[in-house]
Amino acid sequence: MLPRGKSVATGSAGISRREERRADEIARRREDILTAAASVFAAKGYHDAQISDISAAAEVSRASLYAMFEGKEELYFEVINTAANAIDHMVRERVEQLEDPAERLLLVIDSLFECYEANQDLLRIYTLGTHGLPFKARDAMGDSSLQIFVEFTDWVVTLARRAKRAGHLRGHDAETVAVALVGAVTTCAARWIEFTPERPLSRAVPALRAVFLDVIDGGAKPA
């Protein structure tokens, strides 16, 4: 029995250690389910994927899965949203460490390809959902993830405008360059995964980087 006036040991958030362990366990199980869902959606597409496939891949019961997610639609968009957020944060963090505006744009290419290499399931889901047609992205990604993509593109536009003010881009319109860069990387990576899945995405980087190096013309050296 606890002494009068004492309570169960608590963590920094004011909850008990048992509650912390339970929260950690739930978080890990949720992550396992999302990982399994990403794999199933990438292999089968949204319509052919079944909750039973996902629960089996995650090694959890259907009841446990439904305790965390309402159903297949929520899982699908949560998978995309989680990956999109991770890619957005990673690319921004890397790029903003550089000062040279031309190098920043080129590093966006490198970083996006690196993220797509690590998140190939997202690329396959995107390809299956859009059939390679960018205007179908809203249906494939959902409003939340699409908003992340829009804000990311706006950020790249800002980078391009700074590069132009610094004397780069050879007179090209900054917004056009930025949108073309993001679109080219995404489309090139999706096509690479679909038609040459046995080859690492890193093999596609030099050629695309060379195209934009010529457009940016900032004196930056190819990687």
Side-chain angles (χ1 to χ4, degrees):
M1 180 180 295
L2 290 171
R4 183 169 298 178
K6 299 294 182 180
S7 61
V8 176
T10 60
S12 58
I15 61 176
S16 71
R17 292 194 181 96
R18 178 181 295 178
E19 290 171 325
E20 284 184 344
R21 287 194 297 271
R22 175 61 176 162
D24 288 343
E25 179 184 341
I26 292 173
R28 285 194 297 272
R29 186 174 300 174
R30 180 182 176 86
E31 185 176 343
D32 288 344
I33 292 172
L34 289 175
T35 299
S39 178
V40 172
F41 287 132
K44 295 190 172 185
Y46 175 78
H47 294 292
D48 291 336
Q50 302 296 324
I51 286 293
S52 57
D53 298 327
I54 298 170
S55 63
E59 298 182 348
V60 299
S61 67
R62 288 167 60 95
S64 295
L65 190 152
Y66 278 118
M68 298 183 191
F69 300 95
E70 291 183 1
K72 186 169 75 170
E73 182 175 338
E74 183 185 1
L75 267 171
Y76 181 77
F77 290 123
E78 186 65 24
V79 163
I80 298 173
N81 199 56
T82 299
N85 262 313
I87 290 171
D88 178 80
H89 292 158
M90 188 280 233
V91 174
R92 288 183 190 241
E93 183 177 2
R94 287 190 61 188
V95 169
E96 290 176 352
Q97 292 177 11
L98 294 180
E99 294 185 3
D100 183 88
E103 288 284 5
R104 279 184 165 190
L105 283 176
L106 293 171
L107 187 57
V108 170
I109 297 173
D110 301 341
S111 300
L112 274 176
F113 269 110
E114 185 178 328
C115 284
Y116 287 148
E117 183 82 76
N119 291 273
Q120 291 188 23
D121 283 342
L122 176 65
L123 269 181
R124 291 191 175 92
I125 291 169
Y126 174 84
T127 302
L128 286 171
T130 64
H131 303 291
L133 302 174
F135 62 82
K136 291 189 174 183
R138 183 178 297 276
D139 291 337
M141 297 173 67
D143 289 340
S144 179
S145 297
L146 190 62
Q147 184 61 32
I148 296 171
F149 181 79
V150 169
E151 291 175 358
F152 179 85
T153 303
D154 288 343
W155 170 69
V156 180
V157 169
T158 299
L159 296 180
R161 286 173 176 160
R162 291 173 181 167
K164 185 168 185 176
R165 286 197 297 269
H168 304 293
L169 304 194
R170 288 188 168 186
H172 295 297
D173 177 69
E175 183 170 355
T176 300
V177 170
V179 173
L181 186 151
V182 175
V185 173
T186 303
T187 302
C188 181
R191 181 177 177 81
W192 193 276
I193 287 295
E194 183 175 10
F195 294 107
T196 56
E198 73 284 355
R199 301 173 66 192
L201 269 173
S202 56
R203 298 274 293 276
V205 176
L208 191 60
R209 204 178 196 272
V211 171
F212 282 95
L213 177 64
D214 187 58
V215 171
I216 294 167
D217 191 30
K221 300 296 187 294

